[in-house]
Amino acid sequence: MRKAYMAAVAACALIAAGGSGQAQEKLKIGVLATLSGALTSGGEDGVRGAQIALKQRGGKIAGREVEFIIAATDASPDSALRAARKLVEQDKVQLILGPLSGSEGIAMRDYSKTVPNVTVVDASSGALETTYVNPSPNYFRFNSNGAMWMAGLGEYVFKDKGYKKLAVIGEDYSFPYTQVFGFALGYCKAGGQIVQRQWVPLGTKDFGSVIANIPDDVDAVFLGLGGGDAVNFLNQYGQTGGKAKFVGGSIMVDQTVLSSRGAAKKLLVGTPSSGGVADAWDDPKWKAWVKAYQDAFPADKRFASPSLFATNYYNAFNGMATGLEKVNADLSDGGAKFRAELAKVELDAPNGPIKLDDDRQAIATTFITEVVEAPNGELTNKFVRTVPNVSKTMGLSADAFKAVGLPSRTNPECKP
């Protein structure tokens, strides 16, 4: 899959070939993608999603040929900033699609304020603070944040699954904090108790001590892991013979994990989760997107179904393209007219309708799901129910939401 991705990047680079006059007419879009570290598979699939969206538009926006300039990150804020500065200062882009990871998004929000003529359309990052704390006027996000992706899951886990007491294992950065935050708002209000939270560095290889510290008296363990970390945890937990039930964060049960090699992933069968997609959703637009994704790449060079990252990059590009078409891709005023139109874009996306609030944050659908094994042996997320029109305050008033405070290792508390 890695070789296939690099070939796709090379193909994008070839778009830049041609005379200098022709190059001047192309619309350059910088694409930030996490292509090393624990979230590499997500970054690669995100690029696939953007490539499909561009191909569906014939490679052009408002008659202008589009050139993707892909800049790799490793999910760290510093890597995102280095990549963004290269895109702006050397490649002279006025449009950036990305980043992927939570803390990258916070860094890019702050960076965007220093380059007001550059428009950043977040491609998949999910930290709450990115569009909630000191939002940037030239930063737009067409995906929900990590807390919004947990809307309804806490209540479902407590009432339908009967999990009254949980432990948490999550990566130690902003996105997992945001996921646990959103989950806890519903779960704790319903009567659930979180008795332990263990945070591990992104890129953890050895989960031995973490697994040994899981309490024996919990009903399930909430796993806020993703990519390589999720796979490493499952492999090591399987070796211990553990029998815990799990609740999955959005990227713990994404196709980046469910399509991974090895049998340990089957430990996730029966795991409830929620997020921005449901693999087995029986909706015509979703099924059409899945087919487009499957048709775009050979089976051994993609996942069984588009990941959350592929879907988010796909939607983000389409949001950007829709806004650009409204102004005939004219950015000569520093992108001011474009941003005014972009703020009004509403997408009839494969995973439900999306519109932006006053802080340019998506209002979108959350899907409650459960991992099942398909007849062909592949793992997929069975659709349970939707939670429509989820906003960044999670159904609370602005004042009530503000009073909860921001996501952290310990907030919100969850006591009986």
Side-chain angles (χ1 to χ4, degrees), residues 359-381:
D359 292 326
R360 297 157 299 284
Q361 165 62 52
I363 300 170
T365 302
T366 293
F367 296 82
I368 308 295
T369 62
E370 190 165 312
V371 177
V372 297
E373 185 172 359
N376 63 3
E378 293 177 349
L379 299 188
T380 189
N381 283 295

Side-chain angles (χ1 to χ4, degrees), residues 131 135-137 139-140 343 355-363 392:
T131 56
S136 169
Y139 195 102
F140 297 73
K355 61 182 179 180
L356 302 181
D357 66 16
D358 291 342
D359 292 326
R360 297 157 299 284
Q361 165 62 52
I363 300 170
K392 63 177 177 285

